[in-house]
């Protein structure tokens, strides 16, 4: 886990590393399976395991499974050399935050 700036949330959030992201993906898939089986359950109950896992790893009580799914370090590029915010994608050529051109 690492605290990184999220472009969607516009704030620093705990992001999951590759291994943690894999576990979270599996828990998310499980949540969807359960949601299909038990239509009556509120969504948050189906994803309880995922939300608990995220809390264990990050200490952050997230209530929206969708938010966790874009908080994977792997989705983003490396940190900007100038301002330290992660590039929005691995292929990004400049930093929208400070305008720094990435040295590729
Ligand atoms: Zn976010
Ligand atoms: Zn920057």
């Amino acid at each position: 886990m690492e605290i990184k700036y999220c472009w969607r949330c516009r704030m620093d959030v705990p992001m999951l590393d590759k291994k943690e992201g894999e576990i979270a993906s599996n828990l998310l898939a499980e949540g969807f399976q359960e949601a299909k089986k038990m239509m009556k359950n509120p969504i948050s109950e189906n994803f309880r395991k995922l939300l608990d896992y995220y809390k264990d790893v990050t200490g952050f009580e997230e209530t929206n499974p969708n938010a966790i799914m874009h908080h994977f370090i792997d989705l983003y590029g490396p940190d900007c050399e100038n301002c330290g915010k992660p590039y929005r994608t691995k292929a990004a050529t400049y930093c929208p935050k400070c305008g720094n051109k990435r040295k590729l």
Side-chain angles (χ1 to χ4, degrees):
M1 187 275 284
E2 250 180 83
I3 302 289
K4 278 189 182 286
Y5 183 81
C6 172
W7 293 103
R8 281 206 232 175
C9 300
R10 291 170 194 274
M11 61 181 198
D12 289 340
V13 298
M15 296 236 187
L16 302 175
D17 66 26
K18 200 167 168 36
K19 227 177 145 197
E20 292 158 353
E22 274 168 25
I23 295 168
S25 300
N26 287 337
L27 293 174
L28 187 83
E30 259 180 57
F32 278 123
Q33 290 286 327
E34 274 174 46
K36 259 195 243 167
K37 269 189 278 175
M38 306 179 257
M39 297 299 279
K40 268 182 267 170
N41 267 22
I43 283 291
S44 61
E45 279 310 304
N46 294 322
F47 295 104
R48 178 54 44 201
K49 272 190 235 168
L50 171 67
L51 299 172
D52 282 349
Y53 175 72
Y54 189 77
K55 196 183 166 201
D56 276 353
V57 173
T58 66
F60 186 80
E61 203 155 342
E62 179 58 69
T63 53
N64 180 2
N66 290 321
I68 297 175
M69 296 325 288
H70 76 265
H71 290 161
F72 291 179
I73 292 170
D74 228 32
L75 293 175
Y76 301 89
D79 293 342
C80 168
E81 298 83 1
N82 190 47
C83 70
K85 307 268 188 259
Y87 286 106
R88 258 197 270 207
T89 66
K90 287 195 199 318
T93 53
Y94 81 103
C95 172
K97 195 77 185 171
C98 69
N100 182 46
K101 275 227 170 86
R102 186 168 163 197
K103 295 166 198 75
L104 289 168

